[in-house]
Amino acid sequence: QVQLVESGGGLVQPGGSLRLSCAASGNIHIINAMGWYRQAPGKQRELVAVRSIDGSTNYADSVKGRFTISIDVTKKTTYLQMNSLKPEDTAIYYCNADVTVWVTRHDSWGQGTQVTVAS
C-alpha cells in the first residue's frame, strides 16, 4: 500500500526558511499529483501548493512568491521550499499524493509535520 513519510518541520524565526520533504513508498506506477495542505488551530485545512503530472502548479495566494513546490519523480518525493516565513504560516503541514497502483487510484495522506514561526 502507499505510504507517505514527511520531514523537515520545526521552529523557525520570522523571515527564515524551511524545506519540507515527503517521500512516497509502495508499488507506485504513476504519480498523478503531489501537494501540501496545512491546518492551524481552530481553522480549516487549506491547500498550500500542488503539482500535477502535466507540470502545472497551484499555490495559495498567501504563499505565492514565497513557497515553491517540486517533485523528484525518481525518488517519489515532493519538496516544499518555504522562504520569508511569517507567524501566520504556523500550522501542521500535511503531504498529499494522488497515485496509481497497478490500475487503482489512491489518495494518500501523511501524518503531518509541525511548522512553528516565532521569535
Side-chain angles (χ1 to χ4, degrees):
Q1 295 296 306
V2 178
Q3 294 180 332
L4 302 179
V5 180
E6 301 161 331
S7 63
L11 175 64
V12 65
Q13 297 185 74
S17 298
L18 213 58
R19 188 178 76 158
L20 305 182
S21 299
C22 174
S25 62
N27 193 19
I28 300 171
H29 289 79
I30 302 173
I31 297 177
N32 303 299
M34 298 188 80
W36 294 89
Y37 293 73
R38 68 185 181 187
Q39 186 168 20
K43 297 183 179 180
Q44 293 183 312
R45 183 187 65 180
E46 65 174 345
L47 185 148
V48 178
V50 294
R51 191 177 190 93
S52 299
I53 191 171
D54 63 0
S56 63
T57 58
N58 289 292
Y59 293 92
D61 289 340
S62 60
V63 307
K64 287 182 179 178
R66 299 189 297 121
F67 292 10
T68 302
I69 185 171
S70 61
I71 297 177
D72 185 328
V73 177
T74 301
K75 296 181 179 179
K76 300 177 183 177
T77 299
T78 183
Y79 304 94
L80 184 66
Q81 179 65 48
M82 304 184 292
N83 298 324
S84 302
L85 284 162
K86 305 174 181 179
E88 47 263 47
D89 294 318
T90 297
I92 300 176
Y93 284 70
Y94 297 92
C95 177
N96 177 74
D98 173 12
V99 304
T100 299
V101 180
W102 295 107
V103 295
T104 305
R105 275 212 178 194
H106 295 259
D107 186 29
S108 302
W109 293 86
Q111 302 98 322
T113 183
Q114 177 70 47
V115 172
T116 302
V117 184
S119 58

